[in-house]
């Protein structure tokens, strides 16, 4: 009987410890406090604000066509939300931004931006876990004229950065 009580106590303690941390089995969580553009957000994790660049995708820059549309598409999914941030290979880029895959609930934001045509697939170094998956979604968005594709903004002939 005492062994059973000890086991139950250990389970309760493990659950409580797990609930008190922002780290999850598939990354860490934080709240989006600012949407910078279509592929960059500011997130507060454990009281510290970080700039986060989405892995595997690229959206139009401020001076390019479709910038506002891509930024709004991103904001519609993540603004003010609790997100899960998952690392691929690299931790940060040359600007010190965290490089992450972003999830809001069951929505994989990086992939959704590509699927909706607001982001193109790009390969940054060794961060390639979803590269082939993203390419399939990009080809479909292009074929169907979704999002930014009709503008030609993604027609630079390169998938690497």
């Amino acid at each position: 009987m005492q062994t059973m009580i000890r086991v139950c106590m250990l389970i309760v303690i493990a659950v409580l410890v797990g609930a008190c941390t922002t780290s999850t089995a598939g990354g860490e969580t934080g709240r989006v406090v600012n949407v910078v553009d279509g592929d960059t957000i500011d997130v507060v994790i454990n009281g510290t604000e970080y700039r986060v660049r989405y892995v595997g995708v690229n959206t139009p820059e401020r001076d390019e066509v479709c910038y506002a549309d891509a930024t709004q598409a991103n904001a519609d999914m993540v603004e003010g939300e609790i997100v899960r941030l998952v690392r691929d290979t690299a931790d940060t880029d040359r600007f010190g931004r965290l490089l992450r895959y972003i999830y809001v609930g069951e929505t994989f934001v990086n992939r959704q931006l590509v699927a909706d045509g607001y982001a193109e697939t790009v390969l940054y170094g060794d961060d390639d876990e979803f590269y082939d998956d993203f390419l399939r979604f990009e080809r479909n968005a292009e074929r169907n004229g979704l999002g930014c594709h009709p503008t030609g903004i993604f027609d630079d002939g390169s998938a690497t950065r």
Side-chain angles (χ1 to χ4, degrees):
M1 180 72 159
Q2 277 194 334
T3 302
M4 179 82 122
I5 291 172
R6 285 185 186 153
V7 168
C8 289
M9 295 279 290
L10 288 174
I11 291 171
V12 168
I13 290 170
V15 167
L16 290 175
V17 168
C20 293
T21 181
T22 62
S23 180
T24 65
E28 52 196 347
T29 60
R31 177 174 296 282
V32 176
V33 295
N34 182 46
V35 175
V36 177
D37 58 26
D39 55 31
T40 308
I41 55 178
D42 293 327
V43 177
V44 173
I45 303 169
N46 289 329
T48 302
E49 188 171 318
Y50 297 91
R51 181 138 299 173
V52 180
R53 173 68 167 78
Y54 296 0
V55 175
V57 302
N58 186 55
T59 62
E61 301 301 327
R62 187 173 305 274
D63 61 341
E64 295 178 327
V65 66
C66 212
Y67 166 82
D69 295 329
T71 301
Q72 188 61 54
N74 188 25
D76 288 346
M77 285 188 278
V78 303
E79 193 165 41
E81 296 289 341
I82 299 295
V83 295
R84 185 165 48 100
L85 303 93
V86 178
R87 181 177 165 179
D88 191 328
T89 301
D91 186 42
T92 59
D93 66 8
R94 61 189 171 131
F95 303 110
R97 300 176 295 188
L98 297 179
L99 296 171
R100 298 293 187 269
Y101 297 112
I102 304 298
Y103 297 83
V104 175
E106 298 299 314
T107 301
F108 184 6
V109 176
N110 308 50
R111 180 172 48 203
Q112 194 64 52
L113 287 167
V114 172
D116 292 343
Y118 293 106
E120 65 179 327
T121 304
V122 293
L123 186 59
Y124 294 96
D126 294 331
D127 292 317
D128 63 357
E129 182 175 356
F130 295 101
Y131 181 76
D132 292 333
D133 185 41
F134 290 175
L135 277 177
R136 279 194 317 277
F137 281 96
E138 182 178 1
R139 287 183 191 120
N140 184 64
E142 182 178 18
R143 205 173 22 255
N144 290 294
L146 301 178
C148 298
H149 284 283
T151 70
I153 187 68
F154 300 136
D155 298 341
D156 66 358
S158 176
T160 61
R161 297 288 183 270

